[in-house]
Amino acid sequence: MYSKGKRIPLYVIATLLFGIKTYIVYRFLFSLEIENSMQELILVINPFVSAFLIFAISVWIKKTSRQMKYIRYMALIGTIIIFANLVFYRSFSDFITIPQLFQGGNVGDLGSSILSLIKVYDILLFVDVIFVWYLSKKHVNVVTTSYPRSGKVFTLALSFVLLVGNFFLAEMERPQLFTRAFDREYLVKYIGLFNYHIYDAALHSKVKTQHVFADGSELPQIKEYVKENIELPGQSDLYGVAKDKNVIFISAESLQSFVIGNTVNGQEVTPFLNSLLADEDTYYFENFYHQTEQGKTSDSEFLVENSLYPLSRGAVFFTHGQNEYHALPELLGEEGYYSAVFHANNKSFYNRDQMYPNLGYDYFYDVEAYEVTEDNSIGWGLKDKPFFDQSIKYLQTLEEPFYTKFITLTNHFPFELDEEDKSIERYDSNSNTLNNFFPTVRYMDESIEQFFEQLKAAGLYEDSIIIIMGDHYGISSNHNKAMSQYLNKEEITPYDHIQLQRVPLFIHIPGHGKGEIKSTITGQIDIKPTILSLLGMEVEDDIYFGNDMFHENRKDYIALRNGDFITKDYIYTNDTCYQFATGEPVGESDADACQGTIETVEKELGYSDDIIYGDLFRFVNFKQAN
Ligand code: GP9
Ligand code: MN
């Protein structure tokens, strides 16, 4: 019926359509940074290479119906993978990893967030699938392929040649792409989403084996590194100022430093926190960076409690919740502190119900401890004001001294807020996310102010120190255009992007009287040693990577999880060394300015990873604190 000449193999059609679609998604829906024409070329090529690799296998399937079925299902599965990554990307500016998939529970809990991440036009992603489906059912004779053996071998060889060519170009443009692999965006950009997932799967099984084979032989080297590079001689001036006091730690959801002291529509965004800037009992660190990755809030918790880095993939709370740790709640517990976390979310979110006892927490007041109604909740759940309100009665029953952590929730993407809770107007830009951010930040600011008052009324204030920390960014680089408008900048440069990773850190010590604004470069890795020092506790032979933030001789860099870093003189990101003060790239004469720190940071992150992947603390006999 059909002449031979009219045949167009379905695998070719599917490759072309799928390739074009993938390219469009890369180019217009993921905000991948394209720096030169070589990168652009690789980005055009890799969708077709991956698609060809997947669909061309079908030439080996003899039975027509099976061949057709294989192509249709591959088109469907491939599209679902793109779609899932797209939804994930809209929230996290990142790509899915296998450990993230095992956090399925979390995704379910996202609820309204998920819906706001899906766009009507996403349905267009499935148009080619439907077309391929139709051809494979209705025009089987035109699109089916039956090559002789040599044709099959040729097709297979061609797909490998294309793949190798793609990898070759990628490696040329980005040496060590596969070995360093700090950054998933690079991988997707250079080898494509599908090859990235294969790479991720291989990495994941490597992690699993690492645990089995670790025997602690790396420990002496790591201990030596900590002794030589991290441990500091003597104490800071603030050593012991909060001896025996309660510690109240507030993890402020998605709070970034750019709102502090700033206004929107002529109104202060955070009047209460701003009042602390000038407060004589408060230290504010203006150059304090979050160091989180995919595990967001839980990564910030991990940094705070352990002074270890979270992982570059997945949430370490989830992937390594069973490990041995030597965390702050445990150490404080040895000194007679009672410890508790207050957070009105499901206890299993981020595996907290497993991780908290493992870190040494005595109690977790999760959502079950709170009265949550339709009226007092929004977005992710209980609003911050009723959250603090309802927490006070529990706090009053705790044995003192206590170490407590309060994790707020209202200022979470997509930053929903009831009209009655809005004290300031939304911003006006092309990003609803940024627009809505300001009123919810203000709401959180008010809730913290109210909490201070309640602590005073409950008689707990005087005997406590209160630490307020932003957990991670709330506005991702997807909103750079709106952000540049808000910040009155022409564009958000890679340097600006790093500076936007600053989150507020307040240390409030009632009655202290010496508070000030500090510009020391600090980060979440420093919280554990800082709290220990404020409480006047020395822990011998601990293994950690941060320093007391008040110590004069502290290490002079803060490493971000992707290997970027900040020192008082330089910011290193995107393979470029920028002057800290001006944001200009360093000149020729200073070309190597960042080199030494690049190596130290890589080593340090590597050691931290070794500890976690190998569960190395199971081989250490930590001494008791004294
Ligand atoms: C979840 C809350 C938010 O309980 O801490 O987590 P995030 O999405 O910010 O990582
Ligand atoms: Mn968070």
Side-chain angles (χ1 to χ4, degrees), residues 253 295-297 343 345 349-350 352 380 407 409 412 472:
E253 180 57 49
K296 307 293 276 303
T297 309
H343 182 46
N345 198 359
F349 201 97
Y350 280 135
R352 284 179 171 116
W380 279 56
I407 306 174
L409 206 48
H412 193 290
H472 48 75

Side-chain angles (χ1 to χ4, degrees), residues 201-346:
L203 207 62
H204 185 67
S205 33
K206 189 172 142 206
V207 167
K208 283 268 169 253
T209 16
Q210 264 167 340
H211 185 270
V212 177
F213 289 108
D215 57 4
S217 57
E218 307 88 335
L219 272 167
Q221 211 182 341
I222 298 176
K223 282 185 179 164
E224 192 184 306
Y225 176 83
V226 172
K227 277 239 164 330
E228 281 180 10
N229 300 274
I230 311 288
E231 269 180 29
L232 298 171
Q235 317 291 3
S236 74
D237 292 346
L238 267 73
Y239 182 81
V241 289
K243 198 161 179 46
D244 295 330
K245 292 213 173 181
N246 302 316
V247 179
I248 298 175
F249 186 93
I250 303 174
S251 172
E253 180 57 49
S254 300
L255 183 62
Q256 287 177 249
S257 302
F258 77 88
V259 295
I260 302 296
N262 221 336
T263 58
V264 69
N265 308 317
Q267 305 267 336
E268 264 185 292
V269 187
T270 56
F272 176 66
L273 294 177
N274 294 350
S275 76
L276 293 179
L277 295 180
D279 177 83
E280 57 177 16
D281 291 341
T282 309
Y283 290 95
Y284 175 65
F285 287 82
E286 61 181 4
N287 288 317
F288 180 88
Y289 294 81
H290 85 80
Q291 295 163 291
T292 66
E293 258 298 326
Q294 293 190 323
K296 307 293 276 303
T297 309
S298 66
D299 277 359
S300 79
E301 295 184 65
F302 186 80
L303 278 147
V304 165
E305 312 291 13
N306 298 294
S307 191
L308 297 174
Y309 295 96
L311 298 178
S312 55
R313 320 154 49 246
V316 54
F317 260 43
F318 227 95
T319 57
H320 294 80
Q322 310 296 332
N323 275 16
E324 289 269 337
Y325 293 104
H326 195 223
L328 199 50
E330 177 189 334
L331 292 170
L332 298 186
E334 287 167 9
E335 292 294 293
Y337 272 74
Y338 183 84
S339 57
V341 183
F342 298 77
H343 182 46
N345 198 359
N346 296 343

Side-chain angles (χ1 to χ4, degrees), residues 258 262 427 482-489 492 496 500:
F258 77 88
N262 221 336
Y427 182 57
M483 187 62 105
S484 61
Q485 179 190 331
Y486 175 70
L487 297 175
N488 251 325
K489 284 173 179 279
I492 301 295
D496 296 325
L500 282 168

